[in-house]
Amino acid sequence: MYNLEKLSTLLGGKIKGDKVQEITGLAPFFQAKEGEVTFAAEDKFLAKLNETKATVLVVPKLKEYLPNKIYIVVEKNPRELMPILLKFFKKEILFPTKAIEDSAVIGKNVKIAPNVYIGHNAIIGNDVTIYPNVFIGQDVVVGEGSILYPNSVIREFCVLGKNCILQPGAVIGSDGFGYTKVDGNNIKIEQIGRVILENDVEIGANTTIDRGAIGDTIIKKYTKIDNLVQLGHNVVVGENCFIISQVGIAGSTQVGDNCTLAGQTGVAGHIKIGDNVILGAKSGITGNIASNQVLSGNPPVNVKEHLKIKASLKKLPELIKKIKKLEKIK
Amino acid sequence: MYNLEKLSTLLGGKIKGDKVQEITGLAPFFQAKEGEVTFAAEDKFLAKLNETKATVLVVPKLKEYLPNKIYIVVEKNPRELMPILLKFFKKEILFPTKAIEDSAVIGKNVKIAPNVYIGHNAIIGNDVTIYPNVFIGQDVVVGEGSILYPNSVIREFCVLGKNCILQPGAVIGSDGFGYTKVDGNNIKIEQIGRVILENDVEIGANTTIDRGAIGDTIIKKYTKIDNLVQLGHNVVVGENCFIISQVGIAGSTQVGDNCTLAGQTGVAGHIKIGDNVILGAKSGITGNIASNQVLSGNPPVNVKEHLKIKASLKKLPELIKKIKKLEKIK
Amino acid sequence: MYNLEKLSTLLGGKIKGDKVQEITGLAPFFQAKEGEVTFAAEDKFLAKLNETKATVLVVPKLKEYLPNKIYIVVEKNPRELMPILLKFFKKEILFPTKAIEDSAVIGKNVKIAPNVYIGHNAIIGNDVTIYPNVFIGQDVVVGEGSILYPNSVIREFCVLGKNCILQPGAVIGSDGFGYTKVDGNNIKIEQIGRVILENDVEIGANTTIDRGAIGDTIIKKYTKIDNLVQLGHNVVVGENCFIISQVGIAGSTQVGDNCTLAGQTGVAGHIKIGDNVILGAKSGITGNIASNQVLSGNPPVNVKEHLKIKASLKKLPELIKKIKKLEKIK
């Protein structure tokens, strides 16, 4: 539990509302639950203050204040205060003291190899297999039947469902790439969210999945991710997807169910890809993609159209000559 | 040794042939040796049944059966039975019990750092150097003079030749990306092949090389692979190649000798690249490439042509205007 | 200290100069300091012999010899002798003998988890945090307040400034990709340089940064590097840059201050990118880039122009038809 007045003072804000109460945590605007605090900086949030379930809202001065909410009214843009907010809500990390911490809860028939680290209060389900040099951080949950291959890493607070597989070197819960400029220098914004892998998710060798900044990065059930893939903070990938090797998906992007993203495709941040979408290899995606499409290229177009564009490209130098000729004729 | 009748029953098949015998293993159609089983699903295999040396063939009902072979005739498409086949032939994995297993065979002048794991029946040649946090799986062979840098991983059954080098975090033998749909869900197909590195092969930091599904992924002698490269299952790379950083090669593709694939190039699966081929950075390869060529681009063209295309691209918006103008004139 | 005559004999050269003296090391032409040896093979170096501060120069036969230098005059192209030079100057590596070597110097309030390796003569500053399975090589310096997440690797001789962060699996100091052909085979060139991270640098999960061949790979203060990035040998990245996920920068390229390279961008070797440059995602950079630009694409163009080109690409197959039509009309 966190203290409201302490937070308000830290933010240089004033509390406005019926009662002062304890806060249970920090959450993104639309995911927040009762008892949590969120912040609204841009108009798109300020216009929808009734749509968040958060109890406490960090906001700039407003014309009117909805009842049934508590406000911390701040002078600065609330977004600029995010580093302070995140630092305030970051949970204390208990540093490793021994290979398998006494507070870790280990299920039945768990196989633990030499040189494994299992963190404070971690919960390892039944029939989990853990190979050498695996790191399992504090409060991590590993669902039953999961297999963690050598040198894979699950950082603090992340959650793996049942029957998940981490190939060697996979990293779950690295910090998202979040910085802010202070006096011209890049200063880190704490990343306090988690990574959630649902049941039957497999993660490829040396793939990296960043934890959420606030809130969680989520990979839904039966989705399979190949080697050397990068998923940014707060990415959500739906069920039964294939994310092929060397794909990169930037922060906060959402991918629907049953999608296939072929190798080396790059997807920008904060966009939505629908269900049943197939993206060809090396595609470059910078805008939303509706469901039920097979696209390829950069920009992405229908896959048949993409083949035509590729064929046309070969003729491009010749075209320029032809046009010059035509211009002379006219 | 595996039991023929047991396998046939498991596949719901009927045995047709002269004699019932023990099977030594499962292998791809053209690589199979006497005593092994293979399967033929598509016409391209069914038309060439005399070209496999496998003793046992899993096939659909045929018009005629060549003599000197044993058949397991199945109702379903043999390819759909692959998950069952692979599970049947997957060798039992002995889980780690201590840092250096008693059954491991360690050569002379081997340097083993702290926190190293060497698996059951692994064979480490003379003068091998093994840095901390290296994982060497069961039955792995490491040829003499090889250097394994920290946190590199060699999973079970893989083989390294003499004087191989693994840079830190390299992963040899991760599972290939193979799944099948069952009731709409992505279900894993066991990957039971190996990775073979011939002599004098070097693998870059955090590069990942998947084991074969059936059969092996092979990197031939003197080939050097840079950091963060991905090689899919059953890829074969010839001798004396350079595979530059962040290249991805999809499953079953074959690269000839003396090739250079420049950075961030992507190569589709199941294609053949000849000898002495140079592919420029960021190339996208989706079809076979004949020997002795310098290509670049997506689609790949002669490297000089590619420079022209790139220059032409800059003029493309202008071209469209010109054509509009010409159309008005006509 | 290295012996001049021994080196000259090894190179098959003849010493020319006033006095014979001890050499302190090998360095690149323009970075060399007094007492060091460098080599000049190409005209661009041979024409500027007065611009290196090196005391000893490995050169082919010259028409005239500047005074105040010592020369090792060789028969072969000096560049071909580089493998011998590098082997000669490579420092002896002390192999790990125990988890934390006795000669390592550990500061105050350093947190060291289980399964960590700290090498011979390594220096760990105050308040450093080291998670499990981290490898810190011989003579490495880790500046105060740095955090090394699990399974990160710092190879021998590399230096981290204050408040650096390595995300899990990051590799600092892997060998650069340097080979030479001997009898048609790829033979390794030793990589004897270092990686230097200045203060407040963060390196993403499973990112790889190669050590310099000769001289150093340098990342300047406050620069933040995302996951799965590859930096080749002798790359220099300026202050306060953002290098986003899956970017690759080839050897010896220099990036200025305050640059942002967006995801999956590839940069060729031996080029210069100015200050305040922003490169859009998936850009392909093969030539120098002047300061203060926002570019995108392959080839890179002004970002607005790139959007036009991408839009035009969609019309390309149609254009070809139009031109055919126009040609018939003429």
Side-chain angles (χ1 to χ4, degrees):
Chain A
M1 301 292 269
Y2 303 87
N3 183 276
L4 177 64
E5 295 197 354
K6 211 168 157 185
L7 175 60
S8 179
T9 305
L10 204 65
L11 297 173
K14 283 186 184 161
I15 297 170
K16 191 175 169 67
D18 299 339
K19 49 185 174 170
V20 172
Q21 70 169 54
E22 296 282 307
I23 311 163
T24 54
L26 176 69
F29 191 85
F30 291 111
Q31 283 106 293
K33 290 180 290 235
E34 211 179 321
E36 291 183 318
V37 58
T38 194
F39 67 98
E42 293 81 14
D43 285 342
K44 65 177 174 178
F45 296 112
L46 290 168
K48 296 180 175 175
L49 289 184
N50 59 332
E51 291 186 26
T52 180
K53 289 180 183 150
T55 300
V56 180
L57 300 169
V58 180
V59 291
K61 259 181 202 158
L62 301 177
K63 286 189 186 161
E64 54 175 340
Y65 294 85
L66 296 174
N68 301 320
K69 297 283 185 195
I70 300 170
Y71 298 87
I72 300 176
V73 183
V74 295
E75 298 290 323
K76 289 190 183 179
N77 181 330
R79 188 161 291 279
E80 287 176 30
L81 296 167
M82 216 168 100
I84 298 172
L85 266 168
L86 284 160
K87 212 160 192 177
F88 181 80
F89 284 102
K90 191 178 183 184
K91 287 184 195 155
E92 197 202 348
I93 307 291
L94 302 169
F95 193 73
T97 58
K98 54 189 288 195
I100 298 176
E101 305 289 358
D102 294 334
S103 59
V105 179
I106 314 289
K108 289 177 192 164
N109 302 316
V110 172
K111 291 181 186 168
I112 303 177
N115 298 342
V116 163
Y117 175 77
I118 302 181
H120 303 277
N121 305 310
I123 299 172
I124 311 298
N126 299 335
D127 303 307
V128 166
T129 301
I130 309 174
Y131 279 92
N133 310 326
V134 167
F135 173 87
I136 299 172
Q138 172 188 348
D139 283 307
V140 162
V141 177
V142 179
E144 65 181 59
S146 291
I147 301 171
L148 310 180
Y149 279 108
N151 297 49
S152 55
V153 169
I154 312 170
R155 272 186 52 188
E156 66 275 9
F157 310 123
C158 294
V159 176
L160 274 66
K162 295 180 187 177
N163 304 314
C164 286
I165 299 174
L166 301 188
Q167 292 293 328
V171 173
I172 308 300
S174 38
D175 283 345
F177 200 68
Y179 302 91
T180 185
K181 288 271 182 200
V182 176
D183 301 332
N185 289 327
N186 298 328
I187 302 299
K188 186 176 181 72
I189 298 174
E190 298 289 343
Q191 304 286 306
I192 68 171
R194 303 175 297 174
V195 175
I196 311 288
L197 306 185
E198 293 187 356
N199 295 343
D200 298 286
V201 167
E202 180 161 1
I203 306 296
N206 286 341
T207 279
T208 58
I209 305 184
D210 285 344
R211 61 196 315 111
I214 317 168
D216 299 323
T217 302
I218 300 169
I219 315 296
K220 295 189 180 166
K221 63 183 181 181
Y222 288 106
T223 280
K224 311 296 185 182
I225 297 181
D226 202 352
N227 300 343
L228 294 173
V229 167
Q230 152 70 1
L231 302 186
H233 45 192
N234 298 93
V235 161
V236 177
V237 180
E239 302 175 6
N240 273 302
C241 293
F242 290 126
I243 312 291
I244 311 296
S245 183
Q246 297 175 324
V247 164
I249 305 181
S252 300
T253 280
Q254 296 181 29
V255 177
D257 297 338
N258 299 306
C259 291
T260 296
L261 276 62
Q264 299 185 337
T265 287
V267 183
H270 295 273
I271 67 176
K272 285 191 188 188
I273 294 177
D275 298 329
N276 311 309
V277 169
I278 298 175
L279 298 175
K282 281 186 175 291
S283 293
I285 310 298
T286 57
N288 293 345
I289 304 285
S291 294
N292 306 310
Q293 294 189 82
V294 182
L295 303 177
S296 195
N298 181 12
V301 294
N302 175 289
V303 71
K304 283 179 191 166
E305 195 58 25
H306 185 231
L307 288 175
K308 281 187 204 163
I309 292 174
K310 279 171 66 171
S312 305
L313 265 177
K314 292 187 185 178
K315 299 177 190 161
L316 189 53
E318 188 58 27
L319 277 192
I320 290 176
K321 285 184 196 165
K322 283 185 179 176
I323 290 168
K324 265 192 190 148
K325 218 170 157 182
L326 286 167
E327 286 179 321
K328 278 178 194 163
I329 291 167
K330 71 176 168 146
Chain B
M1 300 292 269
Y2 303 86
N3 184 275
L4 177 65
E5 295 198 353
K6 211 167 156 185
L7 176 61
S8 179
T9 305
L10 204 65
L11 298 173
K14 283 185 184 163
I15 297 169
K16 188 172 173 70
D18 298 339
K19 49 185 173 166
V20 172
Q21 69 170 55
E22 296 281 308
I23 311 164
T24 54
L26 176 69
F29 191 84
F30 291 110
Q31 283 105 293
K33 291 180 289 236
E34 212 179 319
E36 292 183 318
V37 58
T38 194
F39 67 99
E42 293 80 13
D43 284 343
K44 64 177 175 176
F45 296 111
L46 290 168
K48 296 179 174 176
L49 289 184
N50 59 333
E51 291 186 27
T52 181
K53 289 180 182 149
T55 300
V56 181
L57 300 169
V58 180
V59 291
K61 259 182 203 159
L62 301 177
K63 285 186 185 162
E64 53 176 340
Y65 294 84
L66 296 174
N68 302 321
K69 297 282 185 195
I70 301 169
Y71 298 87
I72 300 176
V73 183
V74 296
E75 297 290 323
K76 289 191 183 178
N77 181 330
R79 189 159 290 278
E80 288 176 31
L81 296 167
M82 217 168 100
I84 298 172
L85 266 168
L86 284 161
K87 211 160 192 176
F88 181 80
F89 283 102
K90 189 177 183 184
K91 288 184 195 155
E92 196 201 350
I93 307 291
L94 302 168
F95 193 74
T97 59
K98 54 188 289 197
I100 298 177
E101 306 288 357
D102 294 334
S103 59
V105 179
I106 314 289
K108 289 176 192 166
N109 302 316
V110 172
K111 291 181 186 167
I112 303 177
N115 298 342
V116 162
Y117 175 77
I118 301 181
H120 303 276
N121 307 309
I123 298 173
I124 311 298
N126 299 336
D127 304 308
V128 167
T129 301
I130 310 174
Y131 279 91
N133 309 326
V134 166
F135 173 86
I136 298 172
Q138 173 188 348
D139 284 305
V140 163
V141 177
V142 179
E144 65 181 57
S146 292
I147 301 172
L148 310 179
Y149 279 107
N151 297 49
S152 55
V153 169
I154 311 169
R155 272 186 51 188
E156 65 274 10
F157 311 122
C158 294
V159 177
L160 273 66
K162 294 178 188 178
N163 305 314
C164 287
I165 298 174
L166 301 187
Q167 292 293 330
V171 173
I172 307 300
S174 38
D175 283 345
F177 200 69
Y179 303 91
T180 185
K181 289 271 183 199
V182 176
D183 301 332
N185 289 327
N186 298 330
I187 302 298
K188 186 176 182 70
I189 298 175
E190 298 289 343
Q191 303 288 305
I192 68 170
R194 304 174 298 172
V195 175
I196 311 287
L197 306 186
E198 291 187 357
N199 296 344
D200 299 285
V201 167
E202 180 162 0
I203 306 296
N206 286 342
T207 278
T208 58
I209 304 185
D210 285 344
R211 62 196 315 112
I214 317 167
D216 298 324
T217 303
I218 299 169
I219 316 296
K220 294 189 181 166
K221 63 182 181 180
Y222 288 106
T223 280
K224 311 297 183 179
I225 298 182
D226 202 353
N227 300 344
L228 294 173
V229 167
Q230 151 70 1
L231 302 185
H233 46 194
N234 298 93
V235 163
V236 177
V237 180
E239 302 175 5
N240 272 303
C241 292
F242 291 126
I243 311 291
I244 312 293
S245 184
Q246 297 176 324
V247 164
I249 304 181
S252 299
T253 281
Q254 296 180 30
V255 177
D257 297 338
N258 300 306
C259 291
T260 296
L261 277 61
Q264 300 185 337
T265 286
V267 182
H270 296 274
I271 67 176
K272 284 191 189 187
I273 294 176
D275 299 329
N276 311 309
V277 170
I278 297 175
L279 298 175
K282 281 187 174 293
S283 293
I285 310 298
T286 57
N288 293 345
I289 305 285
S291 295
N292 306 310
Q293 293 191 83
V294 181
L295 303 177
S296 195
N298 181 12
V301 294
N302 176 289
V303 71
K304 283 178 191 168
E305 195 59 25
H306 186 231
L307 288 174
K308 281 186 204 163
I309 292 173
K310 279 171 66 172
S312 305
L313 265 176
K314 293 187 184 177
K315 300 178 189 163
L316 190 53
E318 189 58 27
L319 277 192
I320 290 176
K321 285 183 196 166
K322 284 185 179 178
I323 290 168
K324 264 192 189 148
K325 218 169 156 185
L326 285 167
E327 286 180 321
K328 278 179 193 161
I329 292 167
K330 68 172 173 153
Chain C
M1 301 290 270
Y2 304 86
N3 183 274
L4 177 65
E5 295 197 354
K6 210 167 158 184
L7 176 60
S8 180
T9 305
L10 204 66
L11 298 172
K14 283 185 184 163
I15 297 170
K16 189 174 173 67
D18 298 339
K19 47 182 176 171
V20 172
Q21 69 169 56
E22 297 281 307
I23 310 164
T24 54
L26 176 69
F29 191 83
F30 291 111
Q31 283 105 294
K33 291 180 289 237
E34 211 178 320
E36 291 184 319
V37 58
T38 195
F39 67 99
E42 293 82 11
D43 285 341
K44 64 176 173 177
F45 296 112
L46 290 168
K48 296 180 175 175
L49 289 184
N50 59 333
E51 292 185 27
T52 180
K53 290 180 182 149
T55 300
V56 180
L57 300 169
V58 179
V59 292
K61 259 180 203 157
L62 302 178
K63 286 187 186 163
E64 54 176 340
Y65 293 84
L66 295 175
N68 301 320
K69 296 283 184 195
I70 301 169
Y71 298 87
I72 301 175
V73 183
V74 296
E75 298 290 322
K76 289 190 182 176
N77 181 330
R79 188 159 291 279
E80 286 176 31
L81 296 166
M82 216 169 100
I84 298 173
L85 266 168
L86 284 161
K87 212 162 191 173
F88 180 79
F89 283 101
K90 191 178 182 184
K91 288 185 194 152
E92 196 202 350
I93 306 292
L94 302 168
F95 193 73
T97 59
K98 55 188 288 195
I100 297 178
E101 305 289 357
D102 294 334
S103 59
V105 179
I106 313 289
K108 288 176 192 165
N109 301 317
V110 172
K111 292 181 185 167
I112 303 177
N115 298 342
V116 163
Y117 175 76
I118 302 181
H120 302 277
N121 306 310
I123 298 172
I124 311 298
N126 299 335
D127 303 307
V128 166
T129 301
I130 309 173
Y131 278 92
N133 309 326
V134 167
F135 173 86
I136 298 172
Q138 173 188 347
D139 283 306
V140 163
V141 177
V142 179
E144 65 180 59
S146 291
I147 301 171
L148 311 179
Y149 278 108
N151 297 49
S152 54
V153 170
I154 311 170
R155 271 186 52 188
E156 65 276 7
F157 309 124
C158 295
V159 176
L160 273 65
K162 294 180 187 176
N163 304 314
C164 287
I165 299 174
L166 301 188
Q167 292 293 329
V171 173
I172 308 299
S174 38
D175 283 345
F177 200 69
Y179 302 91
T180 185
K181 289 272 183 199
V182 176
D183 302 332
N185 289 327
N186 298 330
I187 302 299
K188 185 177 183 69
I189 298 175
E190 297 290 343
Q191 305 287 305
I192 68 170
R194 304 174 298 174
V195 175
I196 311 287
L197 306 185
E198 294 188 355
N199 295 343
D200 298 285
V201 167
E202 180 161 2
I203 306 296
N206 286 340
T207 278
T208 59
I209 304 185
D210 284 345
R211 62 195 314 110
I214 317 168
D216 300 323
T217 303
I218 299 169
I219 316 296
K220 294 190 180 165
K221 62 183 181 179
Y222 287 106
T223 279
K224 310 297 185 180
I225 297 182
D226 202 353
N227 300 343
L228 295 173
V229 167
Q230 151 70 3
L231 302 186
H233 47 192
N234 298 93
V235 162
V236 177
V237 180
E239 302 175 5
N240 272 304
C241 292
F242 291 126
I243 311 292
I244 311 295
S245 184
Q246 297 176 324
V247 164
I249 304 181
S252 300
T253 281
Q254 296 180 28
V255 178
D257 298 337
N258 299 306
C259 292
T260 296
L261 278 63
Q264 299 186 337
T265 286
V267 183
H270 295 273
I271 67 175
K272 284 192 188 186
I273 294 176
D275 299 328
N276 310 310
V277 169
I278 297 175
L279 298 175
K282 281 186 176 290
S283 293
I285 311 297
T286 57
N288 293 345
I289 304 285
S291 294
N292 306 310
Q293 294 190 82
V294 181
L295 302 177
S296 195
N298 181 10
V301 293
N302 175 287
V303 71
K304 283 178 191 167
E305 196 58 26
H306 186 232
L307 288 175
K308 281 186 204 164
I309 292 174
K310 280 171 66 171
S312 304
L313 265 176
K314 292 187 184 176
K315 299 176 189 164
L316 190 52
E318 188 59 29
L319 277 192
I320 291 176
K321 285 183 195 164
K322 284 185 179 178
I323 290 169
K324 265 193 188 148
K325 218 169 156 184
L326 285 167
E327 286 179 320
K328 278 179 193 162
I329 290 166
K330 69 174 171 151

